[in-house]
Amino acid sequence: MKIIHQTLNQLGIATLVVSGLFCLTSQPGLAQIQSKTGQPVSSSSKQPAPAPKGLAKVEADPEKEDDFYKLISLSVPEDVILEVGGMATLPDGGLAICTRRGDVWLVTNPYISGTERPTYKRFASGLHEPLGLAYKDGDIYVTQRSEITRLHDADGDGRADSYDKIYSWPLSGNYHEYSYGPTFLPNGNMLVTLNVGWSNSLGHGVSLAPWRGWTLEITPDGKMMPFAAGMRSPAGYGMNAAGDFFYTENQGDWVGSGRISQVEKGDFLGNAESLRWTDLPGSPLKLKPEEVPNTGEPLYDVAKRFPALKAPAVWLPHGILGISTSGFLSDNTNGKFGPFANQVFVGDQGQSILSRVDFEKVKGEYQGVVFPFREGFSSGVLRMVWGHDASMFVGMTSRGWSSTGKELYSLQRVVWTGRMPFEMKTIHAMPDGFEIEFTAPVDQELAADPASYKVTGFNYKYHATYGSPVINRAGCPIRGIVVSKDGLKARLVVDSLRLGYIHEITTNGVRSETGRALLHNVGYYTLNNLPDGEKLAIAPAAPKHDHAEMGMASTASTPPVNAKSTAAKAKATTTKVSPTKATAKRVTELPAGWGEPDYTITLGTKPGLKFTPEQFQVRAGSKVRIIFNNEDDMLHNFVVVQPGSAIQVGELAMKLGLEGQEKNYIPATDKVLHHTNLLQPNTNETIYFIAPEKPGDYTYECSVPGHFYVMQGTMKVTK
């Protein structure tokens, strides 16, 4: 079993240095944990006081996410394969969890009260990969691949006595036809969201059965009404604080990066494949796939000319805030989980993280900001629910969808310690820029300095090709800053803002009035509209020759139109070298004088972020040809690195940030020996290189963020 061990360190005794004074502090919000484990509890809840005048501020050790939000793993019996597909909190505070293996488990004592461990009881079994679960009026509703099923316990023994079909939809048998939900509406109806399939031969998503790529509304008595179209992989779903329905989307064809969209009846959210079924009875749309523009422009720009297309409310930058967007959970804890009431937490399966989102409506349309929140989960985050004590339960799985968290499955609990993190609480759009709200008063002088901030606008292509690099990246000059008297807000007057663009807002130089650095110093605001209102009277700043910004604009202002031109451009810049000077890291043509290579290795991919084969052998100094076929349904590259450096190279690739995909996730380091470009699904590339002269085990990996932790193989170099 996975046994939970709580240490005194977890229970929150911390030291803090303020203005040269050594203080012992406690973490007040841990009272609920400590009382349950029998440990003493401190009643103090004060934050560090401002530094006394005349004394220099001394920063404490950098604060960590774990100082404010603890991760507690729940033990799972060895015979329970808890690959979480859906979760719900029950009236008694327990959990109902459905698994990808087709079981539904009831979990009692998930709060680990006293010395008791959670207990698991199988409530139902034999279901078809349920990926969503809800509780209503004494019954459990699960969404299987092909139906919504009501599970009813007639005699109260904790086992389902009847499995009642509410509504079913057809399947083609394609592996990618996942189904999610249900979400209950105020009128008692349910919403479910359906994946499109995937064709390896075509290299893109396909809707092979009616309503694949749709949201469906279903009544309790089994009547179905098509609701909205244009989904690709709508794994996350739920209501925000205002009661509006949203879904989360994964990068893929027609989806440049992860995103979150409000869904209203009759919406088209972007994936053209779903439109194959608009001629069926009840469809609220009449569009056809061939009518959708496939120009590679930003989605917002296309939507202005093609009003049927709905722009997302928030984009999540790919590789920075996830690679596989998942669960959606609105904070309804009224401040019991920290200072983020009514905001939304969004999971990511691939990177095992949670992000934090705050929406606002401007001119009747949603937009908003996303921040990092918590990393370090033990498997791939898929579902989140609130416990009765305002802690968050996070259900995870990684089989077939490998994740940064190494466990195949896991159930963890996120508990606020009660300490107030110094964070950007939110960012609001203003008529002339942005207003940042903080969770604690800022140092007024630093917060008023434009050098403390940086704003960069960028976008993604809207096209049928899988994913997109960052395009049209350019800096946004900060004209001036006004800090509120209480130090909780900083209003930035920003030039060169663009509608429909994501704006990266960094706050590296901001400190609290007690000298604390921000726990997370970046947010990404999707600007669909500028609000009306008064602009601040700040004159434009004098032009400044920022060579870094000029270079960024010159390289990003004319993006390639499509994947073919990107590949052609990369091929045109490939270095041709002789076998005696085979030092280029990417050589795609047979070097002159080689003759036939000593080895030709054909590599492919298989589900679960794996190479095939996972090992091959060559002689030191031999001539090697690698043919890499990306047979997967996502982007991959092939990178040979120095022994022992795979994780280091991958982390350097992550640090490329907005430039990552543009640079094929290849960092500038001598740890990288040879590589292909980043390949679209169902494409291939051939490279040539001289094997290292030094025998040993050389790792090859996919350096895409999140992939590199698990997608590795070994090139054995022998004498």
Side-chain angles (χ1 to χ4, degrees):
M1 293 186 179
K2 300 174 185 175
I3 306 300
I4 179 66
H5 297 281
Q6 293 184 345
T7 64
L8 287 175
N9 183 54
Q10 284 180 306
L11 294 177
I13 305 302
T15 59
L16 184 64
V17 177
V18 180
S19 302
L21 304 176
F22 180 83
C23 308
L24 182 66
T25 66
S26 62
Q27 297 179 5
L30 285 170
Q32 58 177 338
I33 305 175
Q34 294 166 332
S35 63
K36 291 179 179 178
T37 56
Q39 300 295 331
V41 178
S42 170
S43 61
S44 173
S45 60
K46 295 181 181 179
Q47 294 295 307
K53 291 184 178 180
L55 291 177
K57 297 176 183 176
V58 179
E59 288 193 26
D61 291 336
E63 294 175 327
K64 306 179 297 296
E65 292 173 342
D66 192 60
D67 296 332
F68 307 95
Y69 290 94
K70 297 289 184 186
L71 299 185
I72 301 174
S73 296
L74 278 69
S75 61
V76 179
E78 292 180 357
D79 60 345
V80 176
I81 303 176
L82 203 72
E83 297 175 336
V84 177
M87 291 198 302
T89 308
L90 302 175
D92 64 0
L95 301 176
I97 300 176
C98 65
T99 74
R100 297 171 61 199
R101 302 287 178 124
D103 295 323
V104 175
W105 295 91
L106 302 182
V107 184
T108 58
N109 192 35
Y111 307 94
I112 319 178
S113 176
T115 59
E116 297 180 18
R117 296 175 182 169
T119 60
Y120 295 77
K121 183 174 183 178
R122 186 184 280 110
F123 181 75
S125 61
L127 303 171
H128 190 181
E129 197 172 17
L131 291 176
L133 178 148
Y135 174 88
K136 185 174 175 61
D137 298 334
D139 291 328
I140 290 173
Y141 293 74
V142 293
T143 300
Q144 303 187 64
R145 278 204 170 216
S146 62
E147 72 171 51
I148 293 183
T149 308
R150 180 176 56 234
L151 304 174
H152 179 67
D153 178 8
D155 55 12
D157 66 350
R159 299 185 187 278
D161 298 301
S162 63
Y163 296 56
D164 305 318
K165 181 184 76 174
I166 303 298
Y167 181 80
S168 65
W169 46 85
L171 294 174
S172 74
N174 187 281
Y175 83 97
H176 205 253
E177 289 179 340
Y178 306 113
S179 303
Y180 313 98
T183 297
F184 277 94
L185 298 172
N187 64 5
N189 292 347
M190 295 164 275
L191 295 178
V192 296
T193 57
L194 310 181
N195 253 52
V196 295
W198 178 263
S199 170
N200 280 325
S201 61
L202 297 175
H204 62 72
V206 287
S207 186
L208 300 174
W211 311 121
R212 281 285 149 191
W214 285 69
T215 296
L216 306 180
E217 181 176 0
I218 298 166
T219 66
D221 58 0
K223 180 182 178 183
M224 187 277 288
M225 296 158 285
F227 191 78
M231 289 82 178
R232 176 188 176 269
S233 187
Y237 51 87
M239 302 286 191
N240 71 347
D244 292 321
F245 180 69
F246 288 78
Y247 92 102
T248 68
E249 185 63 275
N250 279 261
Q251 185 197 54
D253 41 323
W254 300 104
V255 187
S257 185
R259 63 196 190 203
I260 309 170
S261 299
Q262 183 196 8
V263 185
E264 298 174 287
K265 186 155 188 175
D267 280 345
F268 170 58
L269 284 307
N271 193 290
E273 277 294 312
S274 63
L275 299 176
R276 293 182 59 188
W277 313 109
T278 54
D279 57 352
L280 294 182
S283 171
L285 296 104
K286 298 303 177 186
L287 290 174
K288 293 298 178 185
E290 58 272 15
E291 298 177 46
V292 179
N294 184 20
T295 62
E297 300 168 87
L299 188 151
Y300 179 92
D301 294 346
V302 176
K304 288 302 179 185
R305 300 193 313 271
F306 189 67
L309 176 63
K310 186 170 189 173
V314 169
W315 288 93
L316 290 84
H318 189 76
I320 299 173
L321 290 182
I323 58 174
S324 186
T325 319
S326 59
F328 180 103
L329 182 66
S330 181
D331 186 345
N332 59 7
T333 66
N334 296 316
K336 296 179 181 178
F337 192 70
F340 310 122
N342 298 327
Q343 296 188 16
V344 169
F345 297 96
V346 173
D348 188 83
Q349 191 278 332
Q351 289 191 335
S352 304
I353 63 172
L354 289 178
S355 297
R356 176 171 59 87
V357 176
D358 196 22
F359 297 111
E360 61 178 344
K361 257 190 175 179
V362 178
K363 297 181 179 177
E365 297 179 339
Y366 275 110
Q367 57 189 44
V369 63
V370 58
F371 304 97
F373 177 69
R374 189 63 164 92
E375 61 182 10
F377 289 92
S378 55
S379 187
V381 175
L382 188 64
R383 296 287 174 248
M384 305 92 74
V385 295
W386 294 113
H388 281 192
D389 65 346
S391 63
M392 182 194 297
F393 289 96
V394 180
M396 291 163 270
T397 176
S398 70
R399 176 176 56 89
W401 311 325
S402 293
S403 61
T404 300
K406 301 301 184 184
E407 301 294 333
L408 287 175
Y409 53 86
S410 184
L411 180 61
Q412 290 184 294
R413 184 165 157 248
V414 185
V415 179
W416 181 38
T417 66
R419 288 186 60 193
M420 182 65 69
F422 180 44
E423 292 269 43
M424 287 184 278
K425 181 177 181 180
T426 191
I427 298 176
H428 294 294
M430 304 302 287
D432 50 7
F434 300 102
E435 183 175 75
I436 304 173
E437 184 177 346
F438 299 94
T439 59
V442 296
D443 179 302
Q444 296 265 349
E445 183 177 352
L446 290 174
D449 184 357
S452 294
Y453 308 84
K454 184 178 181 181
V455 180
T456 305
F458 64 97
N459 220 315
Y460 296 101
K461 297 179 181 182
Y462 174 64
H463 57 181
T465 304
Y466 195 105
S468 168
V470 166
I471 63 170
N472 302 345
R473 184 168 54 95
C476 303
I478 298 173
R479 187 187 303 181
I481 300 168
V482 175
V483 181
S484 62
K485 291 182 179 180
D486 61 7
L488 291 174
K489 296 179 180 179
R491 182 165 173 179
L492 281 60
V493 178
V494 183
D495 292 332
S496 303
L497 298 177
R498 291 171 286 179
L499 296 183
Y501 277 65
I502 308 99
H503 292 82
E504 179 187 64
I505 303 169
T506 61
T507 52
N508 293 338
V510 174
R511 297 291 183 271
S512 75
E513 64 182 10
T514 60
R516 299 167 68 193
L518 285 156
L519 185 61
H520 301 102
N521 59 18
V522 63
Y524 295 87
Y525 192 101
T526 301
L527 186 68
N528 290 331
N529 287 295
L530 285 169
D532 296 327
E534 184 178 354
K535 297 181 179 181
L536 297 183
I538 297 178
K544 181 177 65 172
H545 291 290
D546 188 330
H547 295 288
E549 294 289 348
M550 292 166 65
M552 177 171 61
S554 66
T555 59
S557 59
T558 56
V561 173
N562 54 44
K564 289 183 179 179
S565 66
T566 303
K569 180 179 178 182
K571 185 173 182 181
T573 58
T574 301
T575 304
K576 297 181 180 180
V577 296
S578 70
T580 58
K581 295 182 179 180
T583 56
K585 296 184 178 183
R586 178 174 172 267
V587 179
T588 61
E589 294 187 10
L590 184 69
W594 261 35
E596 190 63 23
D598 299 316
Y599 297 91
T600 295
I601 309 295
T602 300
L603 287 167
T605 59
K606 58 184 180 180
L609 297 181
K610 297 180 185 297
F611 288 107
T612 178
E614 295 183 342
Q615 179 176 301
F616 64 87
Q617 182 172 302
V618 297
R619 292 192 313 275
S622 60
K623 295 174 287 188
V624 181
R625 172 168 53 199
I626 297 289
I627 303 171
F628 177 46
N629 298 302
N630 182 12
E631 301 152 325
D632 207 350
D633 57 3
M634 61 187 75
L635 303 171
H636 292 303
N637 60 16
F638 168 83
V639 186
V640 181
V641 301
Q642 294 278 11
S645 66
I647 299 302
Q648 179 185 352
V649 169
E651 290 175 346
L652 288 172
M654 286 183 66
K655 291 179 180 179
L656 292 173
L658 298 179
E659 296 181 300
Q661 192 160 335
E662 175 186 331
K663 293 186 174 180
N664 296 289
Y665 292 114
I666 304 298
T669 170
D670 59 6
K671 303 295 185 183
V672 172
L673 301 180
H674 310 285
H675 67 87
T676 67
N677 266 353
L678 189 65
L679 300 187
Q680 288 284 323
N682 201 39
T683 61
N684 62 75
E685 183 170 287
T686 299
I687 61 171
Y688 301 82
F689 59 84
I690 300 294
E693 295 290 345
K694 182 179 180 180
D697 291 345
Y698 292 78
T699 300
Y700 53 90
E701 66 176 338
C702 173
S703 63
V704 171
H707 295 194
F708 62 84
Y709 289 106
V710 292
M711 193 169 179
Q712 298 181 12
T714 302
M715 179 178 73
K716 299 185 76 68
V717 177
T718 62
K719 291 183 179 179

